[in-house]
Each structure stands twice: as structure tokens, then as C-alpha cells.
Amino acid sequence: MLKKGNKLYSILTGTCPKCHEESMYLDKNPFHLANVLKMHERCSHCNTKYKIEPSFFYGAMYVSYGVGIAFAVAAFIIANFLIQTNLLYSFFIIVGTLVVFMPIIMRLSRNIWINLFMHYNSALKKKVS
């Protein structure tokens, strides 16, 4: 089970990497494409600033490449070995998967990137006064 205090919890839920109490994103639904990358400036619970420095999230592009490859490999394995399609249909399934899951890949990449630099602080578990 994913519990607060685990980096994987913050990565998969998109919550503050320091307190795990609040979503970093203005809109929790990644498929509202106009708001997919709009984030709060700070956590309202622990006051953590998400954008550590200007252009901080450019590094998430590198993570996005790896996450996209993981999705593409998973789509290929499912299409080619489980469904047993030919290579052309496997290619179309990979492209479709990457297009459909693009908002999730973008958010996961940001979540992974910020969690590389910030760590959970159990002292922030209770509301800071």
C-alpha cells in the first residue's frame, strides 16, 4: 500500500513532496489539457515553494523521455506479445498510447523531478500554525 511518507506516494498522487497533504496542481484531472501543467506556487499546508528556481521544471523533460519510453515498451509488449498484432499495428498502438497518456506522462515527469530534490518531512505532518 502507498502511504504518506513514501516518495512513490507523492509521485503517483501529485502531492506536495514535503508534507504529502495537498495536490501541487490547480486541477487534479490531467486530462483537462488547458490546466495540465498549472501548479500552485506554494503548498498551502507547509508553504513549500514548488518552483525552486526559474526554469526548474525543464529538467522534467529528460525524465519525460524515460517515462515515455517505459509507456511505449509496455504498449509494444501488450500489442505484440499478448494481443499478437503485427509490427505496423504495434506501431500505431504505441503512438496512440503516447498520445492518450501524454498528460499523465507530463505530470509523472514533473512529480519525479521535484521528488528528486525535495524530501518528505514528517514534522510537517500536522498543520503548521
Side-chain angles (χ1 to χ4, degrees), residues 49-57:
K49 186 176 180 182
Y50 297 131
K51 195 173 181 183
I52 298 170
E53 59 187 30
S55 306
F56 172 69
F57 286 107

Side-chain angles (χ1 to χ4, degrees), residues 6 8-9 45 48 70 74 76-78 83-84 91 99 104 108-109 111 129:
N6 186 338
L8 199 54
Y9 176 85
H45 184 265
T48 297
F76 175 76
I77 289 171
I78 290 169
I83 303 173
Q84 297 182 345
F91 172 76
V99 169
I104 292 172
L108 274 175
S109 301
N111 297 348
S129 300

Side-chain angles (χ1 to χ4, degrees), residues 63-107:
V63 176
S64 178
Y65 178 77
V67 173
I69 293 297
F71 272 76
V73 167
F76 175 76
I77 289 171
I78 290 169
N80 203 34
F81 296 113
L82 295 179
I83 303 173
Q84 297 182 345
T85 61
N86 64 30
L87 284 178
L88 182 62
Y89 287 123
S90 294
F91 172 76
F92 289 131
I93 289 171
I94 291 169
V95 170
T97 298
L98 291 175
V99 169
V100 169
F101 286 102
M102 181 190 63
I104 292 172
I105 292 170
M106 289 168 36
R107 281 208 179 167

Side-chain angles (χ1 to χ4, degrees), residues 5-68:
N6 186 338
K7 280 199 179 288
L8 199 54
Y9 176 85
S10 177
I11 290 169
L12 295 178
T13 61
T15 54
C16 173
K18 289 240 180 172
C19 69
H20 294 186
E21 295 294 328
E22 175 186 79
S23 175
M24 292 187 291
Y25 300 96
L26 295 174
D27 188 348
K28 286 188 178 185
N29 187 346
F31 290 102
H32 293 155
L33 297 179
N35 301 323
V36 71
L37 295 178
K38 291 185 180 174
M39 300 176 72
H40 296 284
E41 189 172 323
R42 295 182 176 272
C43 175
S44 65
H45 184 265
C46 67
N47 204 33
T48 297
K49 186 176 180 182
Y50 297 131
K51 195 173 181 183
I52 298 170
E53 59 187 30
S55 306
F56 172 69
F57 286 107
Y58 281 140
M61 291 186 301
Y62 297 104
V63 176
S64 178
Y65 178 77
V67 173

